[in-house]
Amino acid sequence: MTNWIPACRLDDIEQEGARRFDHSGRTYALYRSPDDEVFCTDGLCTHEAIHLADGLVMDYEVECPKHSGMFDYRTGEAKRLPACKNLNVYPARIEDGAVLVELPG
Ligand code: FES
């Protein structure tokens, strides 16, 4: 079962930026793309559990702040070592200026 959860306002995320979102004991990262779409991934890097929302967002990728592993935040694909395991991604959408994410449970 999944639920659409209000996470923040679109304006709370910089364009080409990320924001941490914690829910039900798990942490996620929200991203705002250059064309103002929103995306959601697991919040922690798959290499060493560092918060990706603290990383650098460029176009459609996020660079982990610890060892510069890179992920495509649209698909979760690990694009650069040492990150080699993909992130889970979750549906996200904008409704009346609010960012909603569809999370398990
Ligand atoms: S902790 Fe993210 S690349 Fe190492």
Side-chain angles (χ1 to χ4, degrees), residues 3-93:
N3 296 305
W4 284 97
I5 311 289
C8 65
R9 306 289 302 170
L10 178 63
D11 290 345
D12 293 334
I13 315 173
E14 284 179 28
Q15 204 174 41
E16 286 189 80
R19 180 184 172 93
R20 177 177 167 178
F21 175 61
D22 293 342
H23 180 73
S24 284
R26 295 199 55 187
T27 187
Y28 303 90
L30 305 169
Y31 308 88
R32 178 172 171 178
S33 73
D35 44 7
D36 286 332
E37 287 185 283
V38 289
F39 297 88
C40 180
T41 69
D42 288 329
L44 300 177
C45 182
T46 55
H47 181 231
E48 278 188 12
I50 295 297
H51 284 281
L52 289 170
D54 296 333
L56 184 64
V57 177
M58 292 164 291
D59 292 330
Y60 299 98
E61 295 180 329
V62 58
E63 183 184 70
C64 175
K66 187 149 189 195
H67 307 114
S68 304
M70 189 92 85
F71 299 91
D72 184 325
Y73 60 74
R74 298 169 298 182
T75 62
E77 183 186 356
K79 304 280 280 188
R80 187 167 73 201
L81 296 172
C84 53
K85 185 167 175 252
N86 297 345
L87 296 164
N88 292 312
V89 295
Y90 307 90
R93 62 184 166 92

